[in-house]
Amino acid sequence: MPDTAPPPAPAEHRFPCDQCGADLRFAPAQGRLVCDHCGHAEPIDDPGPWAGGLAELDFRAGLETALPDTEMEEVRRLKCPNCGAEFEMAADRHATECPFCATPVVTDTGAQRRIKPQGVLPFALEERDAHTAMTDWLGRLWFAPNGLKDYARKGRRMDGIYVPYWTYDAATHSRYSGARGTVYHETRTVMRDGKPQRVQVQKVRWAPVSGRVARAFDDILVLATTSLPKRYTDALQPWDLSELDPYRPEYLAGFRAEGYTVGLDEGFAEARAIMDRAIRRDVKFDIGGDRQRIDRLQTQVSDVTFKHVLLPVWLAAYKYRGRTYRFVVNGRTGRVQGERPWSAWKIALAVILGLLLAAAVGYLAALGQQEGALAIEWQ
């Protein structure tokens, strides 16, 4: 008979306080679960030694949905109709605002079976620290609207989001053929202004080469969501992946966790592009010489494994004069990136001041020339 048992209920990242029953949250500054209602705090249980780092999962098994049940989970997510972000929400909530674009969200995707995160990098910065970093960053921007700065300084709440990433490991063996260029110079005689002159002309002598290179790639990091622009999230690096902890839901208490929307195969395509760039650098180094030319390159990739990890980002999405501005803060280092707002009147004022300054400099220069001419006349 087919198995008709219903799937398990989605896990809830809620931890009631032993003292008052309110929900505990993970406090980055303390590294513990704390109750904002009564002040009670509880340590996060030590999962015990885990020698060798986080477990890697077989890439092929992941593609074929053949991973062990222990590596899968049922989650309930909301999907933003505007930016497409998917994020977890408590079972007792049915509507919220998208933390990525500030759009009201009421769409429930229901329970989904997804690959469970293997590791998590816990938040190290509290919200107040992230807010200070963001407002300081805004204050250093030239030509940013004052209204947006004031709007941000009002202290609107930032969202702590665990953003999904894939990491990939692989072994590569590459064969190449090409040419090594050696730069040399020849002396030639050319005519300039009707006169012969001897000049040095640069030339390249090419010699055919071939060879092999190998590399073991470790933890190639690929963003597993499309809700945030890559140019911002990539600029939040580096991430201290050596500090990854085994996934524990306690770290998610009081925070949101976004679900991956970039599939495992899509993520590997981006990782492969990163590998290919590194391999080409290796080949050029192996060719040596002054110039290098790669005519043919074949790479065999093996032993591909992956991890699904969550990295901490503080996020602010402000709607100002009908436009949404998004800012992201690395939840470990405080590094800030965001959409660049511009103030038209500040730019116009700067242009006017620049023109006035140029006119003043031109006037003083002309005045100096005039005084010099008068001095010559008196002499």
Side-chain angles (χ1 to χ4, degrees):
M1 291 180 62
D3 186 4
T4 58
E12 294 185 37
H13 306 303
R14 300 180 61 200
F15 300 89
C17 174
D18 290 339
Q19 302 292 332
C20 67
D23 286 341
L24 298 173
R25 69 172 180 86
F26 174 67
Q30 303 179 41
R32 299 189 296 173
L33 295 175
V34 301
C35 177
D36 293 327
H37 183 70
C38 70
H40 177 67
E42 296 182 8
I44 296 178
D45 294 335
D46 186 352
W50 44 287
L54 301 178
E56 297 283 340
L57 301 180
D58 182 71
F59 177 67
R60 183 58 56 185
L63 290 181
E64 297 173 354
T65 63
L67 293 173
D69 289 340
T70 54
E71 304 298 341
M72 307 296 291
E73 65 177 352
E74 293 282 343
V75 294
R76 173 178 174 254
R77 303 192 188 281
L78 290 185
K79 184 171 183 177
C80 175
N82 181 42
C83 70
E86 293 188 11
F87 50 93
E88 293 185 24
M89 194 174 82
D92 59 345
R93 297 184 64 185
H94 302 283
T96 189
E97 185 180 83
C98 176
F100 297 94
C101 66
T103 300
V105 178
V106 294
T107 306
D108 192 340
T109 64
Q112 301 178 20
R113 187 168 172 80
R114 310 295 291 268
I115 299 174
K116 183 189 299 184
Q118 280 74 54
V120 58
L121 198 57
F123 276 89
L125 297 181
E126 297 283 357
E127 180 189 359
R128 62 178 179 273
D129 302 318
H131 204 284
T132 299
M134 186 196 68
T135 52
D136 289 346
W137 180 80
L138 273 173
R140 293 193 298 268
L141 293 181
W142 287 63
F143 308 127
N146 289 332
L148 179 62
K149 295 180 182 179
D150 295 338
Y151 188 67
R153 290 192 183 99
K154 288 181 180 179
R156 178 174 172 173
R157 180 176 176 80
M158 299 183 73
D159 286 294
I161 306 287
Y162 280 103
V163 177
Y165 282 80
W166 301 113
T167 73
Y168 298 92
D169 291 4
T172 63
H173 295 80
S174 305
R175 301 176 61 182
Y176 70 86
S177 60
R180 178 188 302 115
T182 302
V183 175
Y184 66 98
H185 295 82
E186 288 185 348
T187 301
R188 293 184 179 179
T189 301
V190 298
M191 298 298 294
R192 289 181 178 173
D193 299 328
K195 297 179 180 180
Q197 291 187 2
R198 298 174 65 84
V199 297
Q200 294 288 315
V201 178
Q202 186 183 88
K203 303 192 74 175
V204 180
R205 182 181 296 109
W206 293 99
V209 294
S210 62
R212 300 183 181 188
V213 296
R215 176 186 278 259
F217 289 94
D218 180 52
D219 282 346
I220 296 180
L221 192 65
V222 175
L223 181 66
T225 176
T226 57
S227 57
L228 289 173
K230 277 182 59 59
R231 64 183 182 277
Y232 300 147
T233 54
D234 287 350
L236 291 182
Q237 297 189 47
W239 294 96
D240 48 345
L241 296 183
S242 63
E243 298 297 320
L244 278 167
D245 284 342
Y247 172 74
R248 296 181 62 80
E250 288 88 344
Y251 289 126
L252 275 61
F255 296 93
R256 292 176 177 173
E258 189 189 3
Y260 58 84
T261 54
V262 173
L264 187 61
D265 52 345
E266 296 176 80
F268 183 70
E270 182 176 340
R272 180 60 194 271
I274 296 173
M275 293 181 198
D276 288 343
R277 290 194 291 269
I279 291 170
R280 290 187 68 87
R281 289 195 297 268
D282 289 348
V283 168
K284 289 185 175 182
F285 181 81
D286 196 61
I287 291 175
D290 301 314
R291 306 282 176 85
Q292 302 83 33
R293 189 178 71 222
I294 302 174
D295 298 326
R296 187 177 182 184
L297 178 60
Q298 292 180 316
T299 298
Q300 181 180 0
V301 183
S302 61
D303 301 328
V304 182
T305 59
F306 75 95
K307 294 190 299 292
H308 175 207
V309 299
L310 301 177
L311 303 184
V313 172
W314 284 105
L315 176 68
Y318 294 139
K319 278 196 171 180
Y320 176 71
R321 293 185 177 178
R323 180 178 175 182
T324 298
Y325 295 94
R326 291 176 295 182
F327 307 98
V328 289
V329 181
N330 185 314
R332 303 280 293 190
T333 66
R335 185 178 179 87
V336 183
Q337 293 293 316
E339 291 177 293
R340 179 67 169 89
W342 299 92
S343 171
W345 73 265
K346 285 187 178 181
I347 295 174
L349 180 60
V351 171
I352 293 173
L353 290 175
L355 292 174
L356 291 175
L357 180 60
V361 171
Y363 173 76
L364 292 175
L367 189 61
Q369 291 178 352
Q370 185 178 7
E371 291 177 349
L374 289 175
I376 292 174
E377 290 181 2
W378 276 103
Q379 291 177 357

